[in-house]
């Protein structure tokens, strides 16, 4: 067969006749699909994932030519049973092979396995709270679950994609490669090859990683595999996004400012006090958020007129917007059903949605009614809307637009979108006359539900307060125990297994039980038998609810804000959600462990094409404390999405609550806001090319195997490295400086001098409370602007450049400028920077008119004394200094020379 040819083969020796399809889709992408031969309308949803829901990578237009050079090759055999192997031609390395295993293919269970090399490195397979490197004794479950960030279990999102990186020792004489299972020589000569694997399947799944193999199990669908040759992480990630999931949505400029939220802001006046307090303490605040407190009895699209009235809200939001600040409210994923016997309980959004066939059904055609915050609720039927043209999308857009007439929000926060339900099955079908009902559990702050949790080490740093809290907690536990009477008999979780019946699907309790954090599939979720318009069931599409509500919200916001980029942060995601939305890490806890895991979460979502990621800074559940919040506010300042948020009735944790946290926050924010042009440019490149924003050290330095598991420090773009303190009580931190044995140099952000470190050396870095180590990579040009209290203010401030020279005395960088909000730009500007031979060049292309002058340029790593400085040949007689000890050249006072705009004309700065 030719390089491009699609091969179809019927595997009739299996109990069920299957078709094998193999496509060389591009030079770096191979597609393998195994699906039943006989599929019709009666069983299509069992196996086929519609392309309208999740696009399917196709054969590239130029594949006839490019696939001739493919580094991927496919072979298969029926001896002694069916198996296939994918190997890399350039190295002969086997990337994936089912040889020696059996393919199991049923309508509710598929299993296939591949051998893996010793001590392999797999990354991805989200969403899970885990270290960056998955490890080789780990089961990863993919099933959207409303679970408050348990470690190592499935939570909100579904990303069946992994990156596999393998290191090889290079023979210095022959150049031959030998797989290095335990590469520990910091000065050894290594190279790496990475490839990616994507299973395009939306059913519940498990991936079992064992020391010598990986086994994939799904509860439906088919085997629809895509292999990406790489051989670098950068190439794999770009190809995965460009071919399969789409490029990440470009965000508005304001979204990179700071966000403040909490569950517990009681009214507009309290919200105004928070906004005023940020200003009073001199801490930048860009965005204020509200949780479900603003809602009328927790109902979407309606405000409580006693606490968050429309009239008072209009005044608050008018002043907020005049300040250059923004407002983002939460919107939940379930819709309240009014009490049919109580006319005063009318709820128009439900009535309009029901008239549009917008909600999921029971198998008998009645409404499926679960329970969420407002009581008994229904759930939008996104799947029925996409597949059968019902009105959920139009209804959702209409509700957003109607609500916006009363509340001028600037973005939307989507929650509970797994989709979550607090009861099993259609529990409200016969109970609607009880509405509104309280959630079937007590809320934080209600009697008997006091938040007593504090971070590790709180007993050391706050001994007196800890003693008081411990006493109160013990007293509350004792009272609760006395009130409850004798304890109930202990029980263990019961996993219900069913006996397979030919031709019948046991969808509520499938024969194979996955390792779901909630146990059965219908716990804290809509039941698998919830039915979509058109007859398909939730069993086949559960993992796509969160994905499609983001799709619906994105297009709704295009109606609300025509021509503007929608800003959405969503909880449940799927492969491809990044083209519509960002994501936050969910209901984490105020513990040091969760601050540490936030880095791995963010890096994993870089692989998933969702770079607009952040976590609830200082923690959501439990109480934070001064030290943890101090460190965390500084760490999150270097995540793309930067938000502080915590739970109802826990202590307030706005950064101004502690003097040291306020100071630490301002110090980190000063760096972040100074670097907003660099962050925005980095994000633009991700949007255009699929490059990553937050990066693991191992990705940027792929030939250093000692970095394979490093997730305690990270890169922001390719030029900035963050080494945060992640341990309670620490006043220093160990950091490694990648590439120093291969010609890299790093500069300290604060003293601007070069760092001296050996290859693979863990350097002890002073990091007292309130200080986060930040380093600039040699060879970089970072565009900056003077920081302000809002991004609008920043965008009007003068420009600057920080130039960090390489050991060869060179550097390069780029700046992207646009209007910061439009979906389609009328004008843009790209400025290219390059340094060589003691000359810095700036060259602009584009028509966007930016008139801000250039204020200063700082050049790090200038090895010899400077006697003169010129700009476009004109001597600069004053305003520059050269520090012989730090080797830093600082040029200021350039505003007059660039009064028409820093980039209005090309220029060259020379020194010597």
């Amino acid at each position: 067969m030719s390089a491009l040819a699609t091969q179809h083969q019927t595997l009739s020796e299996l109990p069920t006749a299957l078709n094998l399809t193999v496509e060389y889709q591009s030079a770096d992408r191979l597609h393998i699909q195994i699906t039943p031969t006989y599929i019709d309308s009666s069983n299509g949803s069992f196996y086929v994932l519609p392309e309208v829901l999740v696009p399917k990578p196709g054969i590239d237009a130029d594949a006839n030519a490019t696939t001739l050079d493919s580094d991927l090759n496919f072979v298969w055999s029926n001896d002694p049973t069916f198996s296939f192997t994918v190997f890399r031609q350039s190295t002969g390395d086997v990337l994936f092979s089912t040889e020696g295993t059996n393919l199991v293919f049923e309508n509710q269970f598929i299993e296939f396995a591949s051998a893996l090399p010793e001590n392999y490195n797999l990354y991805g397979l989200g969403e899970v709270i885990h270290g960056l490197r998955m490890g080789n004794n780990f089961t990863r479950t993919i099933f959207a679950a409303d679970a408050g960030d348990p470690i190592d279990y499935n939570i909100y999102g579904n990303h069946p994609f992994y990156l596999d990186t393998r290191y090889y020792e290079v023979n210095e004489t022959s150049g031959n490669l030998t797989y290095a299972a335990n590469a520990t020589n910091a000065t050894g000569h290594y190279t790496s090859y990475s490839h990616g694997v994507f299973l395009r399947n939306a059913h519940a799944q498990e991936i079992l990683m064992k020391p010598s193999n990986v086994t994939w199990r799904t509860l439906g669908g088919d085997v629809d595999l895509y292999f990406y040759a790489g051989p670098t992480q950068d190439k794999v990630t770009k190809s995965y996004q460009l071919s399969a999931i789409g490029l990440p949505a470009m965000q508005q400029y304001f979204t990179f400012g700071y966000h403040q939220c909490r569950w517990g802001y009681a009214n507009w006046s309290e919200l105004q006090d928070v906004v005023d307090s940020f200003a009073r303490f001199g801490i930048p605040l860009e965005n204020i958020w509200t949780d479900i407190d603003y809602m009328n009895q927790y109902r979407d699209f309606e405000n409580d007129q006693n606490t968050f009235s429309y009239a008072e809200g209009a005044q608050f939001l008018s002043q907020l917007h005049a300040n250059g600040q923004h407002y983002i409210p939460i919107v939940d994923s379930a819709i309240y059903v009014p009490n049919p016997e109580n006319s005063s309980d009318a709820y128009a959004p439900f009535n309009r949605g029901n008239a549009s066939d917008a909600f999921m059904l029971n198998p008998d055609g009645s409404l499926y009614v679960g329970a969420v915050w407002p009581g008994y609720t229904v759930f939008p039927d996104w799947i029925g809307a996409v597949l059968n043209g019902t009105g959920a999308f139009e209804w959702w857009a209409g509700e957003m637009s109607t609500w916006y007439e009363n509340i001028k929000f600037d973005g939307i926060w989507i929650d509970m979108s797994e989709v979550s339900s607090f009861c099993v099955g259609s529990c409200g079908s016969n109970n609607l006359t009880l509405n509104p009902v309280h959630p079937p559990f007590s809320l934080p702050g209600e009697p008997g539900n006091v938040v007593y949790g504090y971070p590790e080490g709180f007993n050391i740093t706050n001994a007196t307060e800890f003693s008081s809290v411990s006493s109160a907690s013990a007293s509350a536990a004792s009272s609760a125990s006395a009130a409850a009477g004798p304890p109930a008999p202990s029980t263990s979780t019961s996993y219900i297994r069913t006996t397979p019946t030919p031709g019948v699907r046991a969808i509520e309790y499938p024969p194979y039980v996955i390792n779901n954090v909630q146990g059965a599939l219908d716990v804290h979720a809509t039941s698998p038998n919830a039915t979509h318009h058109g007859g398909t069931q939730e069993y086949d599409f559960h993992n796509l609810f969160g994905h499609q509500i983001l799709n619906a919200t994105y297009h709704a916001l295009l109606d609300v804000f025509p021509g503007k980029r929608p800003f959405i942060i969503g909880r449940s995601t799927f492969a491809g959600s990044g083209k519509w939305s960002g994501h936050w890490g969910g209901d984490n806890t105020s513990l040091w462990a969760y601050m540490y895991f936030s880095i791995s979460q963010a890096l994993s979502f870089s692989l998933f094409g969702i770079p607009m990621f952040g976590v609830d800074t200082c923690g959501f559940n439990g109480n934070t404390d001064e030290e943890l919040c101090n460190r965390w506010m500084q760490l999150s300042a270097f995540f793309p999405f930067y938000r502080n948020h915590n739970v109802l009735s826990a202590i307030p944790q706005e950064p101004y609550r502690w003097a040291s946290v306020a100071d630490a926050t301002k110090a980190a924010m000063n760096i972040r806001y100074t670097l907003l042009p660099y962050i925005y440019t980095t994000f633009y490149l991700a949007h255009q090319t699929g490059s990553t924003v937050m990066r693991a050290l191992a990705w940027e330095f792929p030939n250093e195997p000692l970095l394979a598991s490093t997730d305690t420090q990270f890169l922001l773009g390719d030029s900035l490295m963050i080494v945060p303190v992640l341990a309670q009580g620490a006043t220093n931190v160990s950091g490694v400086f990648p590439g120093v044995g291969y010609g890299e140099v790093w500069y300290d952000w604060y003293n601007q001098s070069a760092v001296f470190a050996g290859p693979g050396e863990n350097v002890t870095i002073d990091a007292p409370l309130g200080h986060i180590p930040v380093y600039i990579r040699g060879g970089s040009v970072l565009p900056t602007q003077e920081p302000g209290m809002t991004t609008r203010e920043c965008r009007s401030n003068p420009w600057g450049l920080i130039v960090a020279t390489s050991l060869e005395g060179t550097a390069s960088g780029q700046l992207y400028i646009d209007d910061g909000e439009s979906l389609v730009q009328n004008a843009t500007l790209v400025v290219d920077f390059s340094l060589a031979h003691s000359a810095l060049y700036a060259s602009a292309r584009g028509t966007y008119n930016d008139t801000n002058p250039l204020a200063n340029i700082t050049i790090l790593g200038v090895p010899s004394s400077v006697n003169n400085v010129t700009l476009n040949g004109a001597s600069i007689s004053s305003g520059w200094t050269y520090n012989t000890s730090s080797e830093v050249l600082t040029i200021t006072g350039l505003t007059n020379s660039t009064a028409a705009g820093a980039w209005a004309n090309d220029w060259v700065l020379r020194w010597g």
Side-chain angles (χ1 to χ4, degrees), residues 668-908:
M669 281 191 184
N670 184 271
I671 301 174
R672 179 187 179 91
Y673 278 58
T674 296
L675 288 171
L676 281 175
Y678 168 74
I679 296 171
Y680 191 71
T681 300
T682 302
F683 207 95
Y684 169 74
L685 294 173
H687 166 67
Q688 286 291 108
T689 70
S691 59
T692 50
V693 178
M694 285 182 67
R695 304 179 183 181
L697 272 58
W699 304 343
E700 197 70 16
F701 299 90
N703 299 326
E704 297 187 41
L706 291 177
L707 302 175
S709 298
T710 300
D711 52 16
T712 54
Q713 56 190 96
F714 61 93
L715 296 172
L716 183 59
D718 61 359
S719 299
L720 210 68
M721 184 169 69
I722 317 301
V723 190
V725 172
L726 301 170
Q728 190 275 325
T731 57
N732 57 54
V733 62
S734 293
V736 64
F737 292 86
V740 293
Y742 305 91
E744 294 282 352
V745 60
W746 295 89
Y747 298 89
D748 187 301
W749 170 273
Y750 301 95
N751 64 32
Q752 302 181 326
S753 60
V755 174
F756 296 97
E761 178 186 1
N762 271 310
V763 179
T764 299
I765 304 164
D766 287 336
L769 192 63
H771 175 78
I772 183 167
V774 178
Y775 297 92
I776 306 170
R777 185 179 182 181
S780 306
V781 179
L782 303 180
T784 67
Q785 268 182 302
E786 291 181 9
M789 295 296 287
T790 63
T791 60
R792 184 179 70 182
E793 183 181 336
C794 293
R795 282 175 63 88
S796 299
N797 286 343
W799 295 97
L801 293 174
I802 299 173
V803 183
T805 62
S806 68
L807 292 179
E808 293 78 25
T810 61
S812 62
Q814 194 173 79
L815 168 64
Y816 171 76
I817 309 173
D818 62 15
D819 68 11
E821 64 178 25
S822 296
L823 190 66
V824 178
Q825 291 292 325
N826 292 322
T828 64
L829 193 69
V830 175
V831 187
D832 295 306
F833 306 105
S834 62
L835 182 151
H837 308 298
S838 300
L840 175 65
Y841 300 83
S843 177
R845 45 196 164 90
T847 57
Y848 184 85
N849 183 28
D850 181 277
T851 58
N852 298 315
L854 179 65
N856 54 72
I857 300 173
T858 303
I859 304 173
L860 317 182
V862 178
S864 55
S865 296
V866 176
N867 298 310
N868 63 82
V869 179
T870 65
L871 181 65
N872 284 343
S875 178
I876 300 176
S877 57
S878 62
W880 64 267
T881 59
Y882 176 73
N883 188 313
T884 55
S885 60
S886 64
E887 299 185 337
V888 175
L889 172 62
T890 304
I891 303 107
T892 60
L894 298 174
T895 53
N896 289 336
S897 303
T898 58
W903 327 118
N905 301 290
D906 293 352
W907 52 257
V908 56

Side-chain angles (χ1 to χ4, degrees), residues 487-561:
S490 62
T491 59
S492 59
T493 302
S494 174
Y495 292 91
I496 301 174
R497 294 179 182 271
T498 57
T499 302
T501 303
V504 178
R505 294 203 304 169
I507 63 172
E508 292 169 82
Y509 304 106
Y512 180 77
V513 177
I514 63 169
N515 188 34
N516 179 24
V517 64
Q518 299 286 12
L521 302 184
D522 55 4
V523 175
H524 247 269
T526 49
S527 174
N529 74 350
T531 304
H532 304 290
H533 289 82
T536 61
Q537 291 183 300
E538 184 72 354
Y539 179 91
D540 297 313
F541 297 108
H542 168 81
N543 283 341
L544 293 176
F545 186 100
H547 183 62
Q548 289 301 330
I549 195 175
L550 296 176
N551 181 8
T553 304
Y554 181 89
H555 288 92
L557 292 186
L558 287 178
D559 287 348
V560 175
F561 306 108

